[in-house]
Amino acid sequence: LQAVDAPIPALPSPGPSVGVTPLQALQGDWVHVQCTERRGRVWISPGARTGDLAAVTDDEGGAFHAAVVIRPSDGLAVVGDDLHMTVEACPRLLRDGGRIEIATHAGPRSAWVTPGLMSPRLRLRDLGLPARADRPQGHLFVTLQAGTGSASPAEDMLARFS
C-alpha cells in the first residue's frame, strides 16, 4: 500500500442550533435564538425531536433554519421518542414490591413494582414525545432509585398515629 498525499476534507462548520427543554419539545413553545449577529424567535412544535429543522424569523424579518437540540432539564431527558426520568422510592418498596405514585409531566400516575425487580425501571406507555409525521408516540421510562431515609406512605401513617 502506498500513502496518498490527498488533503483531508474539512468538516463543515455546524449550523445554527436552538436548545430546548424536554417540556418545550413535548408541549411546544416560542424560543428566542441568538446565532452570531442574528437574533430571532422560533415556534417549536409539540413533538419536536433533536435534529429537526426549525424556521427562525430574525428581527429584520428574514428567516434562517436552525437545528433543534433537546437538552436534559428539570429531571427529564429525551432519547429518541422517549422521555427518561429518575424517581426516589422507598427501599422497602423496591425490595418487596407494591404500588407507587409517580409525579409526571402529565400529572400523577400509579404503577406496580414487582418484588425483587433487578432493573428498577418502569415504562409508562404513551407519555413520551407525541407522534409526529413518521415518528411514533414515545413512552416515559422511570428509573427507581432507593431513597435515603424515605418512608413508605404506610410507614408514614403508622408513625403519625403511633
Side-chain angles (χ1 to χ4, degrees):
L1 294 173
Q2 200 170 14
V4 177
D5 292 332
I8 298 173
L11 294 174
S13 62
S17 64
V18 56
V20 298
T21 67
L23 287 179
Q24 288 173 318
L26 186 69
Q27 301 165 347
D29 195 6
W30 284 101
V31 177
H32 294 278
V33 179
Q34 173 78 40
C35 297
T36 58
E37 295 95 34
R38 299 176 87 174
R39 292 176 25 165
R41 59 187 246 160
V42 60
W43 171 252
I44 301 298
S45 300
R49 271 49 172 197
T50 294
D52 287 355
L53 289 179
V56 180
T57 304
D58 64 16
D59 294 341
E60 289 84 39
F64 62 98
H65 286 88
V68 174
V69 178
I70 304 173
R71 295 190 173 100
S73 175
D74 301 323
L76 283 175
V78 175
V79 178
D81 304 320
D82 303 320
L83 293 174
H84 292 260
M85 66 184 286
T86 301
V87 172
E88 281 194 6
C90 171
R92 176 178 278 174
L93 176 77
L94 294 175
R95 185 182 65 243
D96 299 338
R99 191 170 140 229
I100 184 171
E101 289 286 325
I102 302 169
T104 72
H105 62 85
R109 297 290 193 262
S110 62
W112 285 98
V113 177
T114 57
L117 191 63
M118 296 305 290
S119 172
R121 185 182 301 173
L122 305 172
R123 179 181 73 161
L124 302 178
R125 294 181 54 88
D126 300 332
L127 288 181
L129 293 177
R132 184 168 163 200
D134 61 340
R135 303 297 296 262
Q137 172 80 37
H139 307 291
L140 173 62
F141 289 91
V142 180
T143 301
L144 301 176
Q145 184 177 30
T148 55
S150 61
S152 72
E155 289 173 327
D156 185 44
M157 288 179 71
L158 180 63
R160 283 192 292 161
F161 293 110
S162 297

